[in-house]
Amino acid sequence: MTLHHVLSGPPDAPVVVLGPSLGTTTALWEPQLAALESRFRVLRYDHRGHGGSPSAPGPCRIDDLAGDVLDLLDALDLPRVSYCGVSLGGMVGMWLAGHAPERVERLVLCCTTASFPAPGPWLDRAAAVRATGTGSITASVVGRWFTPAFREANPDVAPAFEAGLAAVDDEGYAACCEALASLDLRSALPAIEAPTAVVAGVHDEATPPSWGRAVADAVPGASFHLVEGAHLANVEAADAVSAILGEHL
């Protein structure tokens, strides 16, 4: 598995890796690029089956998705990086920092969780996507990514993310859903050594703020930050999230 990736920023600067959420691509982190590229070498990647990355038959586990990232870091000769991830990208970050602490300098976890209450919804979504395609779920899924006020003020944003989700490979998306169905990173959190900041969106229904708070409470010394917005808070509250990243990194 060779993940599609984009490197930008000064070649000799410290590297920060940006992990996207389920159903999004490298484009997710564009609101933070200008702030980060002035100080860091920025590595963005697509999960398997997303964007330019090849797909693989499911099911897979979070270990597999994190292994893809480790393989990418090895291929690029990057022994130690800082890592920031949204949702699924944050889960990959937790796995990396908990299981390969020597690889992660600093960690930012945005709108994410270490586990879900039950696997059923993710298994149902995987089955639905295999039956009818990612295009069939775009409205319901992206509907939870932004608040109504943000959608009204920025009418072009949600449709762009819906188109991006519809373009994700059906099997790749379903396999990632199955990774979320089996997700349980709670035992890894106390082993995280990297200084960690956890960010939650006040109106996030997909990963409520209380779930982010639970992650911050379990990671030694982690800070917790509430920002406006729903699940893609780095887009809706771009300036606030950029400021947190800039200070923490």
Side-chain angles (χ1 to χ4, degrees), residues 26 34 168 181 211:
T26 57
V168 173
W211 295 6

Side-chain angles (χ1 to χ4, degrees), residues 15 27 30 33 51-52 122 156 181 205 217 219:
V15 176
E30 287 178 358
L33 279 185
W122 291 112
D156 296 333
E205 297 177 3
D217 288 345
V219 175

Side-chain angles (χ1 to χ4, degrees), residues 1 11 15 29 37 74 99 114 118 138-139 152 187 196 223 235 239 249:
M1 179 64 62
V15 176
W29 283 101
E37 285 176 340
D74 289 344
H99 291 85
T138 56
E152 183 177 352
S187 64
T196 300
S223 61
V235 176
D239 290 344
L249 297 175

Side-chain angles (χ1 to χ4, degrees), residues 68-143:
D68 294 343
V69 176
L70 284 177
D71 288 344
L72 176 61
L73 296 181
D74 289 344
L76 296 173
D77 192 24
L78 297 173
R80 190 167 174 87
V81 299
S82 289
Y83 185 99
C84 308
V86 175
S87 193
L88 176 57
M91 298 163 199
V92 168
M94 285 182 248
W95 191 99
L96 293 172
H99 291 85
E102 72 282 359
R103 307 299 297 267
V104 181
E105 181 75 28
R106 288 180 171 270
L107 182 66
V108 179
L109 307 170
C110 186
C111 298
T112 192
T113 183
S115 63
F116 289 96
W122 291 112
L123 297 176
D124 291 344
R125 191 186 297 188
V129 165
R130 286 194 175 102
T132 57
T134 53
S136 66
I137 64 166
T138 56
S140 60
V141 170
V142 179

Side-chain angles (χ1 to χ4, degrees), residues 21 25 35 83 119 124 163 168 185 192 195 200 222 235 242:
S21 63
T25 67
Y83 185 99
D124 291 344
V168 173
L185 292 166
I192 293 178
V235 176
S242 295

